[in-house]
Amino acid sequence: MLITFEGIEGSGKSTQAKLLMEWLQTKNISCLLTREPGGTSIGQQIRRILLDPNHTNICPLTELLLYMADRAQHLSERILPELSSGKTILCDRFYDATTVYQGIARQVDMAVIKKLHTIVLSGLKPDITLLFDLPVEEGLKRAWKRITANHNEQQENRFEKESIAFHERVREGYLTLAQNDPNRFFVINANQSEENVFEDMVKILSRIVL
Ligand code: TMP
């Protein structure tokens, strides 16, 4: 089973993915927590290029192709082998992020994205996608707090530096995807305490995974 975690910056999805892995392990469900970009060692190098705030001149097509390259490597090296060995995979962002960030927010031709995904994914689709939703201002406030606390202002914040309008397009884009695919998407209110978000997530997953 493939479960993906999506949301705007500062939505808390990575924290919830970790908590879910620990919870699944207590139920003796064998799982793997991974992420995009950066789920492989080649992917980590791609991630560095993609998120470097100095790369303000990266063109939208280069950006798209780098996310696709990261995904192709991730699928071949980790996701497909682990899925076929029966593991539950928790993936912190997957292809919906490309549809929303590059397609909707960056306005790269959606037909190009679809064509590349046909090649890269070979039909693979997440079984469940958890969308952690909260207002953009709140998400960005949390994201910058974390970036400053980790002293990585110079390292991985190219997207956090995008305009509020960009992030609003991302949020709306995700909500539209969720509306159009209600069997796969579960929208969780992320504008509440970590504990309450976790409780909501577990309520949803206990019905499906256990
Ligand atoms: P993260 O901070 O959740 O690890 O994600 C890194 C950034 O990459 C985040 O700002 C969203 C962006 N992103 C895309 O633009 N397209 C994609 O396909 C993926 C996976 C992430």
Side-chain angles (χ1 to χ4, degrees):
M1 172 172 283
L2 175 60
I3 304 175
T4 59
F5 294 73
E6 302 283 358
I8 61 165
E9 265 57 43
S11 62
K13 63 182 173 40
S14 308
T15 305
Q16 295 298 328
K18 280 192 204 106
L19 292 173
L20 184 64
M21 187 183 65
E22 289 161 15
W23 184 79
L24 288 172
Q25 283 168 342
T26 67
K27 311 279 173 213
N28 291 324
I29 294 176
S30 164
C31 50
L32 166 81
L33 173 60
T34 184
R35 69 172 177 178
E36 289 193 359
T40 62
S41 65
I42 289 171
Q44 277 166 29
Q45 296 188 49
I46 297 174
R47 182 181 173 96
R48 232 167 283 133
I49 299 171
L50 278 166
L51 304 187
D52 186 336
N54 296 317
H55 292 166
T56 49
N57 61 342
I58 192 164
C59 84
L61 188 58
T62 305
E63 181 179 282
L64 171 68
L65 292 171
L66 286 171
Y67 279 110
M68 291 291 178
D70 170 75
R71 186 157 302 133
Q73 185 64 29
H74 194 205
L75 278 163
S76 139
E77 193 179 320
R78 293 197 84 188
I79 295 190
L80 295 177
E82 300 285 3
L83 270 180
S84 55
S85 80
K87 276 214 177 115
T88 294
I89 302 202
L90 310 182
C91 192
D92 186 350
R93 292 198 191 279
F94 196 50
Y95 74 75
D96 295 309
T98 307
T99 304
V100 167
Y101 280 83
Q102 280 65 54
I104 295 171
R106 204 71 93 200
Q107 295 176 318
V108 176
D109 185 351
M110 207 59 97
V112 174
I113 295 178
K114 282 195 176 140
K115 196 172 250 178
L116 288 168
H117 270 150
T118 306
I119 299 165
V120 170
L121 297 167
S122 307
L124 181 72
K125 216 176 164 186
D127 298 285
I128 299 167
T129 297
L130 302 172
L131 173 57
F132 295 86
D133 180 62
L134 80 172
V136 164
E137 283 81 2
E138 184 56 32
L140 286 176
K141 205 162 74 187
R142 290 187 192 174
W144 278 105
K145 203 169 157 191
R146 185 199 59 227
I147 289 166
T148 316
N150 293 343
H151 303 292
N152 68 351
E153 292 108 298
Q154 297 308 314
Q155 288 164 26
E156 284 202 347
N157 54 26
R158 192 168 63 86
F159 282 89
E160 283 80 356
K161 288 187 166 167
E162 290 288 347
S163 65
I164 295 278
F166 178 92
H167 292 286
E168 293 286 4
R169 287 200 293 277
V170 171
R171 183 185 185 202
E172 288 308 313
Y174 271 130
L175 289 171
T176 305
L177 289 190
Q179 244 172 22
N180 293 340
D181 196 351
N183 291 329
R184 172 166 69 94
F185 271 91
F186 295 87
V187 182
I188 295 174
N189 172 17
N191 199 15
Q192 48 177 346
S193 72
E194 211 171 282
E195 293 76 18
N196 288 352
V197 175
F198 178 70
E199 218 172 90
D200 287 356
M201 175 173 66
V202 164
K203 253 186 232 154
I204 292 164
L205 289 171
S206 349
R207 280 188 270 134
I208 304 167
V209 181
L210 296 184

